Amino acid sequence: MAMDLSTPPSTSPPRSRRQSPNLSIDLSDLPPLITPSPPSNTLLITNLASLDIFAPENLQSIQAALIAQAPLYSFSPLKSFRRIIVTFYTTEDAIAMRKALDGETVLGNRVRVYFGQETRINPEDQHLHLPKADRLFFISPPPSPPMGWEMRDEGPPNKEVHAEDLASALAKLHARPGPDDAMEEDDPAIAKNNGFGQPR
């Protein structure tokens, strides 16, 4: 005996849908759209959730696979951020590698690849340079020079040990013993007091 499993057509009237009031969404508080990063020679390989990816042998195989496609300038795995930063010598290589890698599966993880900030391959010297000697002032901090001031080269140092005015002042100070001083040196009582009333 065969059983009819089909359901008989419903004879009840269709349910009327409840009328809902017109809803509107206010989109004025949405933040502005963020433009994607422009292409650069640096790629950020993200969504590497599995820590097995950061095992040394796996990193070596990933790096070898990347080098087989294009020469690398740097390969920087960041285990704590679950990403790898890769820099190529040209932006064209980075664009081609992003097209090849984005959305691929690496050890069970679907990776996302984004462009990072441009990396300078030959960075210029970042050190501060010495100022030009003709622009140095000996006041700190250097104010603007006074009106009418002109730059002049400093003269050489003094060739004599003392300047003439200092030498003449020192000559005037040179004391020569007078006749009274000779008498005081012979008197033992005066010599004992050292001339200032204080014993030696």
Side-chain angles (χ1 to χ4, degrees):
M1 178 174 161
M3 294 182 63
D4 187 12
L5 297 178
S6 62
T7 57
S10 174
T11 56
S12 63
R15 295 181 188 172
S16 62
R17 287 190 165 182
R18 187 184 309 173
Q19 294 290 332
S20 60
N22 291 334
L23 297 178
S24 62
I25 300 174
D26 183 14
L27 302 177
S28 61
D29 291 339
L30 287 178
L33 293 176
I34 299 173
T35 56
S37 299
S40 68
N41 65 343
T42 303
L43 293 181
L44 308 175
I45 304 173
T46 65
N47 201 29
L48 304 174
S50 175
L51 292 178
D52 294 336
I53 295 173
F54 295 93
E57 58 274 4
N58 291 334
L59 288 175
Q60 287 177 356
S61 63
I62 293 170
Q63 186 175 9
L66 293 173
I67 291 175
Q69 301 297 321
L72 291 180
Y73 176 72
S74 69
F75 179 83
S76 307
L78 303 175
K79 183 178 179 180
S80 59
F81 291 103
R82 307 291 197 270
R83 64 183 54 188
I84 298 173
I85 300 177
V86 182
T87 302
F88 296 90
Y89 284 96
T90 64
T91 303
E92 291 76 19
D93 289 341
I95 292 172
M97 191 59 65
R98 182 180 183 272
K99 287 179 182 176
L101 282 180
D102 193 30
E104 293 295 321
T105 301
V106 176
L107 294 178
N109 296 281
R110 184 175 179 268
V111 299
R112 297 306 313 266
V113 183
Y114 303 97
F115 289 111
Q117 190 173 5
E118 181 78 20
T119 301
R120 293 182 182 178
I121 302 299
N122 297 317
E124 56 193 40
D125 189 12
Q126 300 286 325
H127 296 90
L128 291 175
H129 299 286
L130 291 174
K132 293 181 180 179
D134 59 347
R135 301 292 296 174
L136 294 180
F137 299 106
F138 294 103
I139 303 172
S140 180
S144 298
M147 293 296 292
W149 183 84
E150 293 181 5
M151 174 72 76
R152 63 180 178 84
D153 293 335
E154 185 178 349
N158 293 335
K159 295 180 181 178
E160 301 175 4
V161 178
H162 299 293
E164 292 178 5
D165 54 347
L166 180 60
S168 62
L170 289 174
K172 291 178 183 176
L173 292 177
H174 185 65
R176 294 193 176 114
D180 295 335
D181 295 333
M183 286 178 35
E184 290 176 358
E185 289 178 4
D186 293 338
D187 188 0
I190 297 174
K192 189 194 291 187
N193 287 336
N194 197 16
F196 294 102
Q198 299 291 331
R200 289 186 182 176

